Amino acid sequence: MDIQKLTDQLIRHEGIELKLYKCPQKKWSIGIGRNLEDRGITEEEARFLLSNDIEISIKELQRAFNWFHLLDDTRQMAVVDLHFNLGLNRLKTFKKTIGLIEEAIEGRVTWSQVSDELLDSRWATQVGQRAGRIADMMRLGGNYPHHEIS
């Protein structure tokens, strides 16, 4: 069977929807007729989407914050995690935290102060243990025991 011809035929018949929609059978769907209610997605597909989202997140953070590349890998991971959870616009409202990150990079404040500021937020109470882990990543940087993430 010619898979490319079949692909073209299914796209022609199903269309391509890049956002969630209700199909004629009233099932939530996406893409080229993917019935999310009955089929969902596989773990492999979820990881593929996550990989793309991480790439997007890193690019957005590099454009938004000229200091992002100056962070060590662990602190970059912490900021990506924050961005992933909050979105860029809400992350930008964490003005005191962002200011402290800039100052910590320049050595004017400690990373513990950045960590404490993150924990002193409504967000920290909303996300629970996630906030503690991200704050620890900020405080410890490369010394953070990554095996404790899972």
Side-chain angles (χ1 to χ4, degrees):
M1 178 183 326
D2 186 328
I3 297 298
Q4 186 56 56
K5 282 184 184 176
L6 177 58
T7 299
D8 293 343
Q9 174 183 319
L10 290 170
I11 291 171
R12 193 167 40 255
H13 291 160
E14 294 283 340
I16 297 177
E17 294 291 336
L18 303 180
K19 298 204 183 246
L20 204 57
Y21 69 97
K22 287 268 189 171
C23 76
Q25 286 72 40
K26 306 295 184 223
K27 301 280 187 169
W28 285 112
S29 301
I30 197 165
I32 304 162
R34 170 59 68 93
N35 176 337
L36 292 173
E37 289 185 45
D38 296 337
R39 177 167 290 172
I41 62 174
T42 65
E43 182 176 339
E44 182 180 343
E45 289 166 327
R47 288 179 177 275
F48 176 78
L49 293 172
L50 175 61
S51 176
N52 289 341
D53 289 344
I54 289 170
E55 239 180 86
I56 290 166
S57 181
I58 290 169
K59 286 177 183 170
E60 285 184 7
L61 290 165
Q62 288 170 334
R63 279 194 301 272
F65 304 114
N66 61 356
W67 46 258
F68 180 77
H69 74 281
L70 299 172
L71 299 173
D72 66 26
D73 286 353
T74 299
R75 291 184 178 115
Q76 283 185 358
M77 289 170 59
V79 174
V80 168
D81 200 323
L82 281 168
H83 176 260
F84 203 87
N85 182 239
L86 298 166
L88 186 60
N89 289 337
R90 190 158 169 231
L91 176 58
K92 284 181 174 181
T93 68
F94 284 55
K95 294 184 185 306
K96 192 167 181 187
T97 299
I98 292 167
L100 287 171
I101 290 171
E102 292 170 350
E103 290 187 60
I105 290 169
E106 295 171 2
R108 294 195 317 255
V109 301
T110 67
W111 287 103
S112 289
Q113 289 171 278
V114 176
S115 176
D116 292 345
E117 179 60 27
L118 270 175
L119 294 174
D120 186 28
S121 67
R122 189 170 49 121
W123 166 81
T125 62
Q126 293 170 336
V127 300
Q129 290 181 355
R130 183 179 195 167
R133 285 190 292 270
I134 292 172
D136 284 347
M137 292 170 76
M138 281 295 198
R139 184 170 47 81
L140 298 171
N143 294 321
Y144 181 77
H146 288 276
H147 63 278
E148 293 183 11
I149 291 174
S150 51

